[in-house]
Amino acid sequence: MAKMALVGKQNGVVRPALSAMLHWRRHARPPRIPDGRVGVPLVWLRSERLPLIGPALRVKNISTNPVRLVRNFARTRGDMFTIRTSNTPDFTFLLHDDAFRMVLNLPPEHAEIGPVLAGIPTVGYWFPRAGTDSDSLQRLILTGRRMMATMMPASRVAELADLVPQVVDRHVAGLPGTARLDLTKWVYPVVYEASCRYFVGDRIWADLGAELTSLYRDIVRGIEITHIALSLTAFRFGLREYRATRRLYRLLRTELPKYRDEDSPLLRAIHEVRVDGEPLSAVDALWMFMYVLWNATVYPGAYTFWTLIDVVTRPELVTRLRACDEAGRLDLLARCLLENIRLYPVASLIRFLRKPLEFEHEGRTFHVPADQMVGVLPGVSNIDPRRVPGDPDEFDPDRHLGEPVFREGIFGRGAFACPAAEFNKKLTSMVIDEVLTRFDVDLVADPPPRRLRVPEIYPNGPTPARLTRLAKVGDTASGAARCPFA
Ligand code: HEM
């Protein structure tokens, strides 16, 4: 009897330990590579190698600071490595010289973005669309990208010169001669309005802009890995971004039918767009509207905020701007944006491999199996001295005089490259110029630390600032006395 109890006890401990060990061995086993090919090494931090707690530590490292984890491997493990978690496909990162172009130039049916964005809330799930698979999502993304590109020709982007001053006027109207405000809260609505108004047009924005700003602020703030992990559980009902997505869907479904194509460049573009010769279904048309504004808010908000901080924390740059004419200021500010994105870029550019990827490197043929994610890391490449001359860590907008340095690390490349590079340069430089020609901006405390998340770079706290009016500028007359320094 006593012996049986002992055996039972041993089984109770030994069996789970054995099965955990087996699970770990399977988890740590490298993928099969065909003969004559070389695989990319699986990498782990030392603590992540521990059986039982290792996989949990990996999940924790990825969810709390994925950018640091990946940068760490890039520094210590070289130009190629594969990261594994328990419940996602493997991620292979390639950082050698020609990897950037090779990965981003792969055709979209080989290296897809659909399965990548399918993992992002709102765009990938929550906001309804006709299909539920990643192929239909990729078709919508490619259609949307093409459609957005047609909405941003140079002639239309030039309209920002009238739009942005009007928007800034509205947001500074009523501010006293010296105002204290929190830039973390103040900048985003200004950028969202300028960027979204350009696409949706004045009528829709006048009616729905305030609500859209608040909903997108909640949605954008939720795009980070811990929230994404929670979004897959019942905790999603408590997430602001989940509730905002549901409200956004209901708002668009009830309100948009009240507008005509003439009211909105975006409605017109959505009605005209065709996928395989067919117009979008009603639900996909709503999704497309949401997706355009998602793009128009996520990065423009964050990068305009941080470019403003980069400028106002460098008095020599402000002095230099004030000595320029308007064209010179806009040019310099656009280069500040490029430098800001170069140093704090979109963390990783990832594709899902529908078939294996094989490439030659240093005389060997490497093989990355199908059904994995493959990616490049602008956060590493953009500060690589092999690509960026001079001191790559230094903030130097003039390195983009002429050609931007390592352009693909800033706005991407290939089938999914950003169609909005010129739009962004104009938008950000004009918003900041409008602020700096009206006000002296003094931060009253150190700027908040940059919280590097995927994909936003969040200000980790408020940014209190004092805005002192520089000249008597009519708050409603657009363009009046635009440059007191010229
Ligand atoms: C400063 C602001 C922005 C930055 C830094 C930025 C950066 C990028 C980058 C690096 C990519 C490539 C992604 C990849 O290869 O996986 C991309 C793609 C894209 N961007 Fe932008 N972008 C910005 C603003 C915008 C705006 C304003 C729009 C349109 C309203 C836009 C629309 C797109 C689209 C449609 C794609 C391709 C599909 C996708 O990745 O979603 N972007 N952007």
Side-chain angles (χ1 to χ4, degrees), residues 165-166 169-170 172-173 438 473-480:
Q166 290 169 18
D169 276 346
R170 262 193 294 283
V172 302
R438 287 168 162 83
V473 184
D475 280 346
T476 49
S478 74

Side-chain angles (χ1 to χ4, degrees), residues 24-223:
W24 169 252
R25 284 181 61 138
R26 268 200 309 276
H27 184 66
R29 190 180 299 147
R32 278 185 209 285
I33 301 296
D35 290 345
R37 306 288 188 258
V38 183
V40 174
L42 271 178
V43 292
W44 313 90
L45 295 180
R46 196 173 299 164
S47 54
E48 294 171 341
R49 281 183 169 281
L50 297 171
L52 294 175
I53 59 164
L57 286 174
R58 159 87 18 131
V59 171
K60 177 187 154 277
N61 288 333
I62 289 203
S63 48
T64 51
N65 200 335
V67 180
R68 189 179 53 202
L69 179 77
V70 169
R71 276 189 173 162
N72 190 358
F73 284 132
R75 215 178 37 251
T76 55
R77 304 302 298 267
D79 278 349
M80 297 179 198
F81 49 89
T82 300
I83 295 183
R84 177 171 291 170
T85 62
S86 308
N87 47 9
T88 56
D90 286 353
F91 280 82
T92 289
F93 289 102
L94 302 175
L95 305 175
H96 57 281
D97 270 359
D98 41 356
F100 224 94
R101 285 180 186 197
M102 176 187 71
V103 171
L104 298 187
N105 280 339
L106 290 170
E109 28 334 309
H110 181 177
E112 301 181 341
I113 211 170
V116 180
L117 289 195
I120 308 281
T122 304
V123 167
Y125 47 94
W126 290 349
F127 198 99
R129 56 189 176 85
T132 48
D133 58 328
S134 65
D135 284 353
S136 58
L137 180 60
Q138 170 147 315
R139 262 198 310 280
L140 283 178
I141 291 166
L142 284 167
T143 306
R145 180 177 177 272
R146 216 175 42 242
M147 186 191 81
M148 282 179 241
T150 62
M151 293 187 75
M152 293 182 273
S155 55
R156 255 224 83 202
V157 171
E159 291 173 18
L160 286 171
D162 289 331
L163 173 61
V164 171
Q166 290 169 18
V167 171
V168 175
D169 276 346
R170 262 193 294 283
H171 285 261
V172 302
L175 286 185
T178 302
R180 280 179 77 110
L181 40 83
D182 176 4
L183 293 180
T184 300
K185 290 202 180 122
W186 190 76
V187 174
Y188 288 87
V190 178
V191 181
Y192 285 13
E193 175 169 350
S195 180
C196 297
R197 201 181 260 274
Y198 173 93
F199 289 99
V200 304
D202 288 334
R203 252 204 85 192
I204 295 187
W205 193 261
D207 296 346
L208 309 179
E211 192 162 3
L212 288 172
T213 300
S214 139
L215 294 174
Y216 273 95
R217 202 62 209 114
D218 282 348
I219 289 169
V220 173
R221 266 196 298 231
I223 312 173

Side-chain angles (χ1 to χ4, degrees), residues 181-192 217 297-313 336-337 340-341 344 427-429 431-432 435 441 443 446-451 456-465:
L181 40 83
D182 176 4
L183 293 180
T184 300
K185 290 202 180 122
W186 190 76
V187 174
Y188 288 87
V190 178
V191 181
Y192 285 13
R217 202 62 209 114
T297 49
V298 179
Y299 291 141
Y303 283 109
T304 305
F305 171 83
W306 285 113
T307 305
L308 176 65
I309 301 298
D310 279 344
V311 172
V312 298
T313 49
C336 290
L337 168 73
N340 177 268
I341 308 175
Y344 300 95
L427 176 77
T428 296
S429 59
V431 168
I432 298 180
V435 173
V441 180
L443 299 193
D446 286 340
R450 294 180 209 238
R451 199 153 55 103
E456 275 241 320
I457 296 150
Y458 294 82
N460 206 2
T463 317

Side-chain angles (χ1 to χ4, degrees), residues 113 117 141 145 148 152 199 291-292 295-296 299-300 303 337 341 346 349-351 410-412 416-420 423-424:
I113 211 170
L117 289 195
I141 291 166
R145 180 177 177 272
M148 282 179 241
M152 293 182 273
F199 289 99
Y291 176 59
V292 172
N295 277 295
Y299 291 141
Y303 283 109
L337 168 73
I341 308 175
V346 173
L349 307 182
I350 308 237
R351 305 286 179 263
I410 295 177
F411 288 115
F416 303 107
C418 188
F423 173 87
N424 285 309

